[in-house]
Amino acid sequence: MTSPLTQTDHPALRLHVRGIVQGVGFRPFVHRLASRHALAGWVRNRETGVEIVIAGNPESLNAFMHDLRAEAPPLAEIADLEATPCDAYGASTFTIVSSTDATAERQPVAPDVTTCDACVRELNDPANRRHQYPFITCTDCGPRYTVIERMPYDRERTSMRAFTQCDACRQEYQTPGDRRHHSETNSCPDCGPSLSLRDAAGGTTHGLQCLGDAVRLLRRGAIVALRGLGGFHLAVDATNDAAVMRLRRAKHRDAKPFALMVRSLPDALAIAAMSDAEVRLLTARERPIVIVPRRTDAALAPSVSPGMTTVGLMLPYTPLHHMLLEMTGVPLVMTSGNLSDEPICASIDEAVERLHGIADAFLVHDRETVSRVDDSVMRVAAGSPLFLRRARGFAPLPVPLPVAVPARQAILAVGAHLKNTVTLAADRSAYVSPHVGDLDSLETLLHFRATVTRLADLFHIEPAIVARDLHPGYLSTAEAERRRVSRRVVVQHHHAHVAAVCAEHGVTQPVVGVAYDGTGFGDDGTVWGAEILVADLTTYERVAHLRPVPLPGSELAIRNPWRSALGYLALEPAMEPLFARAFEGVEERDVSIARRQLERRVNTPVASSMGRLFDAAAAILGVRRHARFEGQAAMELEALAGHRDGDRLPFPISADAEQRLVMDPMPLLAALGERSGAGVPVEALAAAFHDSVVATTVAVVRRVCQDRGIGIVAVGGGTFQNARLVATFAREAAAAGLRVLVPRAVPPNDGAISYGQAAVAAARMAREIS
């Protein structure tokens, strides 16, 4: 290798690299690459990305430019590379120089990264100075978004600035070729964050002793609040049913499945029978919770996921997790550190206040959490990953808008009421927030507002346009109306679902959109929830829907599937004998009151809801009459259906006065009741229900596609969290010659609404300009 040459000998280039290039070891990589090719110059972080000045002979420059893309760090993503001739100012070596933040341009922020294998080896190596150090990191792993206060990414702009590196750590930080060269979270036991345990009596222990104390508490059935990356978990022994039930009572979480953290992939395989795709997702660097089939002989407490054939698993993603799981030797419930429906606790003071009476002890550290972030939740559907919640490991990476519809003015999209996210969009980048939650409490509202402020500050976006849902009563609608902006864009709920799927796939032409969920406010003032639209990103036409049904008690029907069954029965009372099982065990007084509501049309909104159809079917089959969490009945039906083939039951299609197609589920529900009464196994009927819904949906979609000359169908809405439904529909629609778009970058549920709203707002602006 030749020695580096000065700029006076050879030409120089200035490179502006944009994308995910900060917090991913990009500057040390550039330094190594330049040294390998005998080039001189420097590299630095800028608020717009990374700036490189490079000088050398033309052959070396060309090789450098090729390798910059070909060998980029695994966490990096180069979105744009701009090269211009420049003056290298007589450089004779290559260095990393101080960052600049003179501009107000935006730069993607890397999400938090699971502990890398090299750091895990050092963690377990008694000869290493970071042996059993719960905050070990390097340039390839560790916290990013949750510690970054502002860009560019340097230690002084993160919560790690509170910890001054010792001489040994600084030597690593300054040494080219070291794995911790310019690792902004670098630390060790002598200079980094520290661990402590606070028990209920007020006692405190520190260091490795406190970790041992926490393990002993967990083994005795205690609940330990554990501070992680984006906030607190509540942890208990997942093999101790009494401990899990105690956690349920404390969190007011009666039956919703808990997620588990397991020590290793072999431990996960002992609990779940996973496909190769599920293994890849579980072991991915983002370390999401993955919903997988539970083995019948899994050594888990029954109350971990009652009534389900699946379980949510994740692998350790911080050094502290690795140590804790290794020492306990059993799977641990790791659920968000909060009361149900509240934001995850982030600070120690907040956790001690809000989790008092729930946690027996608090295992904490003194590295501050800048941004609270829940765990991401995913599953495999139709062979590929499907988000149920997009958060840690993925957010706030931008989801691109289609090339033809950039946000020419900055957009804030405020999302839906449930499973809320917010999106800030500028140019082609849509920054979708981590999961915010249901906007049902003051705590979540404050978290919503803080999230908007956080993203706006981090990405230098001052919204000129706000996009919101059509529903006038959503808290997100009120938040949109209170903002001072030049324009407000109103987006119907199910159009936003379809638009989100189209936008992530870059599709701007008309599609047939299938939006199936619980409820969304329709443009006719009624409740929609099973909609087939002809739509693009700007407009939509409702061309088909489920037969509307009155819901006695309105929102009470969400938690009481028998009410949905009673609403359907009101359409055709003669079918009452076939619906009898839906009301077994229900208080006669409650049924009587609901009947009077239907007769008098009091508090009985009319809805075309696929979610309520699943509820009615579950009640008629005797599966679930009272739900203890949202979606429980549908989840149990999916579990019962499994992978078996189902009969196609009658589910006719007709046309209404406006010539819209109407799917009438009454014959389907009647057939379920009749066959259930005849002794047909509930598993077979659950499969038949699923396959009948798919068959009728595909029939409608085919007819609309043929009539309109459309070849693309997009599916969205919370009902498509059902992996069986997604896979069966995708297979059947593809067999009909249609291109099927399934949500992959954002969830199918209301977590996608803000992105869909942003896409619609951007498309409408583009249309007006053109």
Side-chain angles (χ1 to χ4, degrees):
M1 179 179 291
T2 58
S3 300
L5 300 173
T6 67
Q7 185 271 339
T8 55
D9 301 306
H10 289 289
L13 293 174
R14 184 184 306 275
L15 309 179
H16 289 285
V17 190
R18 297 177 178 86
I20 304 167
V21 290
Q22 294 193 28
V24 294
F26 197 79
R27 288 175 299 168
F29 157 70
V30 170
H31 188 283
R32 293 193 300 271
L33 196 61
S35 300
R36 188 172 84 201
H37 290 293
L39 298 172
W42 46 263
V43 59
R44 66 181 176 187
N45 280 343
R46 297 192 61 176
E47 218 167 20
T48 55
V50 168
E51 182 181 22
I52 306 167
V53 168
I54 202 86
N57 66 63
E59 293 79 9
S60 296
L61 285 175
N62 289 335
F64 175 89
M65 294 286 285
H66 173 271
D67 294 347
L68 190 67
R69 287 187 181 273
E71 301 178 17
L75 302 178
E77 183 177 315
I78 298 175
D80 181 60
L81 177 59
E82 177 186 333
T84 56
C86 73
D87 185 339
Y89 307 109
S92 59
T93 61
F94 196 89
T95 59
I96 298 175
V97 300
S98 298
S99 303
T100 66
D101 59 350
T103 69
E105 296 187 39
R106 63 193 61 88
Q107 157 71 17
V109 174
D112 301 296
V113 184
T114 187
T115 308
C116 69
D117 291 343
C119 281
V120 172
R121 286 193 294 271
E122 291 179 346
L123 181 72
N124 296 323
D125 181 2
N128 192 279
R129 72 187 187 95
R130 291 186 177 86
H131 177 237
Q132 298 294 281
Y133 175 55
F135 307 100
I136 185 171
T137 66
C138 69
T139 55
D140 295 329
C141 66
R144 298 294 191 268
Y145 174 62
T146 56
V147 299
I148 291 172
E149 294 172 345
R150 60 190 178 92
M151 298 294 276
Y153 175 62
D154 290 293
R155 194 183 187 97
E156 63 266 24
R157 299 179 186 87
T158 74
S159 58
M160 282 299 294
R161 71 175 182 277
F163 307 97
T164 302
Q165 294 183 86
C166 65
D167 290 344
C169 285
R170 178 156 291 281
Q171 180 67 28
E172 294 169 329
Y173 182 89
Q174 295 174 340
T175 301
D178 193 284
R179 210 174 80 252
R180 295 183 171 88
H181 185 212
H182 276 266
S183 170
E184 305 302 343
T185 56
N186 190 33
S187 66
C188 73
D190 294 333
C191 64
S194 59
L195 203 61
S196 62
L197 181 74
R198 304 183 182 189
D199 61 32
T204 303
T205 55
H206 300 276
L208 291 182
Q209 177 190 343
C210 75
L211 193 58
D213 291 344
V215 169
R216 283 187 285 274
L217 285 169
L218 288 166
R219 286 175 174 167
R220 294 202 298 261
I223 301 170
V224 174
L226 170 70
R227 192 179 200 187
L229 288 177
F232 278 78
H233 282 117
L234 290 168
V236 296
D237 178 352
T239 66
N240 184 332
D241 199 56
V244 177
M245 287 302 298
R246 181 168 165 255
L247 177 59
R248 287 199 176 281
R249 290 190 295 271
K251 276 201 71 168
H252 307 297
R253 183 169 169 153
D254 294 340
K256 191 175 183 180
F258 280 132
L260 308 182
M261 183 176 283
V262 295
R263 175 176 48 187
S264 64
L265 178 59
D267 287 357
L269 292 170
I271 292 172
M274 290 184 282
S275 66
D276 290 345
E278 288 165 334
V279 168
R280 287 193 297 272
L281 188 55
L282 183 72
T283 57
R285 68 189 184 207
E286 294 85 0
R287 290 293 194 271
I289 297 168
V290 183
I291 309 301
V292 290
R294 188 184 64 200
R295 294 187 182 278
T296 56
D297 60 349
L300 296 177
S303 53
V304 164
S305 54
M308 300 295 148
T309 57
T310 56
V311 64
L313 297 183
M314 61 178 159
L315 294 174
Y317 57 84
T318 73
L320 180 57
H321 292 150
H322 281 278
M323 296 168 67
L324 191 65
L325 268 294
E326 189 65 37
M327 293 173 72
T328 56
V330 295
L332 296 177
V333 168
M334 283 283 188
T335 188
S336 299
N338 55 7
L339 286 171
S340 291
D341 301 324
E342 289 187 359
I344 187 172
C345 294
S347 71
I348 295 174
D349 290 344
E350 182 184 25
V352 170
E353 177 184 351
R354 288 171 51 198
L355 302 180
H356 175 75
I358 300 178
D360 300 303
F362 295 82
L363 186 60
V364 302
H365 57 77
D366 52 355
R367 184 187 66 215
E368 290 305 313
T369 300
V370 177
S371 298
R372 70 183 82 213
V373 183
D374 282 283
D375 294 313
S376 292
V377 184
M378 305 182 76
R379 71 186 311 179
V380 172
S384 297
L386 184 82
F387 279 108
L388 305 184
R389 181 170 73 197
R390 182 180 183 269
R392 176 189 52 77
F394 299 94
L397 291 176
V399 181
L401 293 171
V403 174
V405 291
R408 290 175 169 83
Q409 292 179 275
I411 299 167
L412 165 63
V414 297
H417 185 77
L418 300 179
K419 297 180 177 61
N420 179 268
T421 62
V422 299
T423 294
L424 279 94
D427 302 318
R428 285 200 60 218
S429 295
Y431 299 94
V432 184
S433 76
H435 171 79
V436 173
D438 298 349
L439 298 179
D440 288 327
S441 67
L442 175 61
E443 291 83 3
T444 311
L445 174 60
L446 295 176
H447 178 34
F448 169 94
R449 291 175 177 173
T451 300
V452 172
T453 300
R454 167 77 168 139
L455 294 184
D457 290 346
L458 193 58
F459 298 115
H460 305 293
I461 296 176
E462 182 60 38
I465 294 171
V466 64
R468 66 163 178 86
D469 194 89
L470 179 63
H471 197 302
Y474 278 180
L475 197 53
S476 57
T477 296
E479 287 296 298
E481 293 301 313
R482 66 186 285 269
R483 297 192 68 90
R484 296 180 179 178
V485 291
S486 61
R487 179 179 175 184
R488 292 176 177 81
V489 176
V490 178
V491 183
Q492 198 278 327
H493 189 87
H494 300 95
H495 184 208
H497 271 308
V498 173
V501 185
C502 291
E504 73 155 270
H505 288 278
V507 171
T508 58
Q509 66 263 45
V511 303
V512 174
V514 181
Y516 285 174
D517 60 6
T519 58
F521 195 72
D523 59 26
D524 59 359
T526 65
V527 177
W528 294 3
E531 312 307 316
I532 296 180
L533 313 175
V534 170
D536 58 20
L537 294 182
T538 58
T539 61
Y540 68 94
E541 178 189 354
R542 188 189 195 199
V543 295
H545 58 82
L546 200 62
R547 181 180 178 183
V549 59
L551 297 177
S554 188
E555 291 188 3
L556 286 176
I558 297 173
R559 290 297 180 95
N560 295 278
W562 67 265
R563 289 179 177 270
S564 295
L566 187 64
Y568 275 107
L569 181 57
L571 299 178
E572 297 187 33
M575 290 185 175
E576 183 153 2
L578 303 177
F579 281 51
R581 294 194 68 187
F583 314 113
E584 291 177 1
V586 180
E587 290 287 340
E588 192 173 314
R589 178 176 177 273
D590 291 339
V591 177
S592 179
I593 291 172
R595 287 184 188 275
R596 287 200 299 272
Q597 286 178 316
L598 288 164
E599 291 168 0
R600 300 171 184 177
R601 299 182 182 179
V602 175
N603 196 26
T604 56
V606 174
S608 59
S609 168
M610 186 57 71
R612 301 296 75 79
L613 177 59
F614 269 77
D615 287 349
I620 290 167
L621 293 175
V623 173
R624 175 65 51 188
R625 299 173 186 89
H626 301 279
R628 292 190 283 175
F629 62 89
E630 181 200 4
Q632 183 179 16
M635 291 170 66
E636 289 173 339
L637 275 183
E638 181 188 359
L640 288 166
H643 297 291
R644 61 182 55 81
D645 292 333
D647 292 340
R648 305 297 170 94
L649 302 180
F651 194 169
I653 305 163
S654 61
D656 65 11
E658 287 80 27
Q659 294 305 302
R660 285 191 293 257
L661 299 178
V662 179
M663 299 170 284
D664 184 2
M666 287 303 297
L668 168 60
L669 295 176
L672 292 176
E674 181 180 19
R675 294 189 178 201
S676 177
V680 176
V682 66
E683 294 85 359
L685 294 176
F689 173 76
H690 277 79
D691 289 355
S692 300
V693 168
V694 168
T696 294
T697 303
V698 171
V700 172
V701 167
R702 290 183 66 180
R703 186 184 302 185
V704 174
C705 285
Q706 185 174 4
D707 290 347
R708 301 297 183 95
I710 295 172
I712 304 174
V713 57
V715 301
T719 302
F720 285 104
Q721 295 174 110
N722 183 318
R724 179 191 172 110
L725 203 69
V726 172
T728 308
F729 179 86
R731 183 179 66 247
E732 297 292 327
L738 299 174
R739 177 187 174 194
V740 183
L741 307 181
V742 175
R744 298 301 184 190
V746 291
N749 60 39
D750 282 5
I753 290 293
S754 67
Y755 175 66
Q757 290 169 344
V760 170
R764 289 179 183 172
M765 278 193 293
R767 180 187 61 183
E768 290 167 4
I769 292 172
S770 63

